Amino acid sequence: MKMRRRIILITTITLCIGIMIYAIINFNKQTISKTGMYFDTVVTITLYDSDEKYLNQCFKMCEKYENLFDAHKENSDIYNINKCAGSDSYVSVSRETLELINKSLYYSRISDGKFDITIGNLADLWGFSKLSQNGGKDNPPDDAIIKETLSNIGYNQISVKGNTVNLSNANTKIDLGGIAKGYIADKLKEYLIKHGVKKGIINLGGNVLLIGSNTKNSNYNIGIQKPFDKEGNTSAIISVSDKSIVTSGVYERYYYSNEKLFHHILDTSTGYPSDNDLLAVTIISDNSTDGDALSTTIFTMGLDKGLQYIEKAENTEAIFINKENKLITSSGIIKTGDTYTLK
């Protein structure tokens, strides 16, 4: 996911961390921060009262996971699985790849295929990864090709035996883009906490994972961008600590064709961008893997079914933005002015 970043210098520094999400941070001399490019997106990690060696190690971990999970990187685990698709060969993969694939299959099952990592060829067909978040003009794929590609999607084509994986359909391709960043963010946080880091922000292209509270021992303020707002204004501020905040929105990557909006959140039942009354869904959860998978899944469900699902999920809340820019929240969220906190 390719994203732009801006840093605005005022009396404090507001650090933009994602197309959809911003964190408002008060910097001081004890703050260290580093930015790099991985997974076709900007990764920014900010730590407080910590050692730079831990920050540097996080970026080494990002490189490692990119080399495992990137479907387009030659000899990655996912590249090798896709290369052997349709054969009887089972491909040996790393412990991390196996863990992530099993987690993905779990979300495929509980969402009845709304979340499906065998969406790779369909995602490539639409080509949204080649677009910036600012939109543009293009033409959608031919309907017949979409239907043909859609017929090859199905998470039940993935077979796992021990530490090996097989993809039974030669015309199917795995893409972990809908969950990998969340998983990696969780692994980075796990590493940092193990080494004594108590405060910080991990941002993988808009997947925001908070470590502890801010430097004043109060909540971080995380802003949700107002959809399609050219000035980057926020629709709301989420005040939380030690949580994951992940947003999926139609304004992230899109284009117009004959005045119709086509966005990157694809519906696995139609092969087309999900068409409902929503512009964005933000998931607030304990870990980023769940938040990443759920943000897309809940969006494709639509407001009513998505809200019903969230109300049954433990330690998980959601904020929906509909096409009238109205915000609807799950029951575990309290609104005070423009600020949203957890009950």
Side-chain angles (χ1 to χ4, degrees), residues 182-244:
Y183 175 88
I184 296 163
D186 285 335
K187 289 299 182 183
L188 296 178
K189 181 175 180 177
E190 181 182 304
Y191 165 80
L192 290 169
I193 290 176
K194 180 180 178 180
H195 289 87
V197 175
K198 294 181 173 56
K199 299 177 185 295
I201 298 176
I202 299 166
N203 171 40
L204 274 70
N207 285 47
V208 178
L209 186 57
L210 305 173
I211 303 174
S213 58
N214 67 18
T215 54
K216 296 181 179 180
N217 295 318
S218 58
N219 286 341
Y220 294 96
N221 290 323
I222 308 297
I224 305 175
Q225 182 179 322
K226 186 175 182 180
F228 299 111
D229 188 277
K230 295 181 179 180
E231 302 299 321
N233 294 315
T234 58
S235 291
I237 301 294
I238 304 173
S239 181
V240 290
S241 294
D242 209 37
K243 291 287 184 179
S244 163

Side-chain angles (χ1 to χ4, degrees), residues 77-275:
D77 282 352
I78 304 305
Y79 177 93
N80 290 334
I81 294 170
N82 291 338
K83 185 179 179 180
C84 294
S87 72
D88 294 329
S89 299
Y90 276 73
V91 177
S92 295
V93 298
S94 68
R95 175 183 56 81
E96 293 90 345
T97 300
L98 187 65
E99 185 178 13
L100 185 51
I101 287 177
N102 281 329
K103 189 72 171 179
S104 299
L105 291 174
Y106 165 78
Y107 271 106
S108 293
R109 289 190 292 269
I110 67 172
S111 68
D112 293 325
K114 284 289 187 181
F115 179 86
D116 195 325
I117 59 173
T118 62
I119 202 170
N121 281 329
L122 184 65
D124 287 348
L125 180 65
W126 280 93
F128 286 105
S129 62
K130 300 176 183 178
L131 297 177
S132 75
Q133 72 271 27
N134 294 320
K137 291 185 177 180
D138 212 325
N139 294 309
D142 182 78
D143 184 63
I145 299 176
I146 292 174
K147 289 181 179 178
E148 180 182 355
T149 306
L150 186 64
S151 69
N152 293 302
I153 292 176
Y155 65 91
N156 57 355
Q157 298 173 59
I158 301 174
S159 177
V160 177
K161 290 183 179 179
N163 68 332
T164 65
V165 181
N166 172 267
L167 191 55
S168 62
N169 190 333
N171 297 313
T172 300
K173 188 164 81 172
I174 292 175
D175 186 332
L176 295 175
I179 193 172
K181 288 189 297 180
Y183 175 88
I184 296 163
D186 285 335
K187 289 299 182 183
L188 296 178
K189 181 175 180 177
E190 181 182 304
Y191 165 80
L192 290 169
I193 290 176
K194 180 180 178 180
H195 289 87
V197 175
K198 294 181 173 56
K199 299 177 185 295
I201 298 176
I202 299 166
N203 171 40
L204 274 70
N207 285 47
V208 178
L209 186 57
L210 305 173
I211 303 174
S213 58
N214 67 18
T215 54
K216 296 181 179 180
N217 295 318
S218 58
N219 286 341
Y220 294 96
N221 290 323
I222 308 297
I224 305 175
Q225 182 179 322
K226 186 175 182 180
F228 299 111
D229 188 277
K230 295 181 179 180
E231 302 299 321
N233 294 315
T234 58
S235 291
I237 301 294
I238 304 173
S239 181
V240 290
S241 294
D242 209 37
K243 291 287 184 179
S244 163
I245 305 96
V246 182
T247 299
S248 287
V250 303
Y251 51 94
E252 180 186 350
R253 295 190 303 275
Y254 64 91
Y255 59 75
Y256 286 93
S257 180
N258 295 323
E259 300 183 354
K260 179 177 175 60
L261 174 70
F262 293 89
H263 60 82
H264 80 292
I265 306 174
L266 301 176
D267 188 333
T268 56
S269 65
T270 67
Y272 281 84
S274 184
D275 186 12

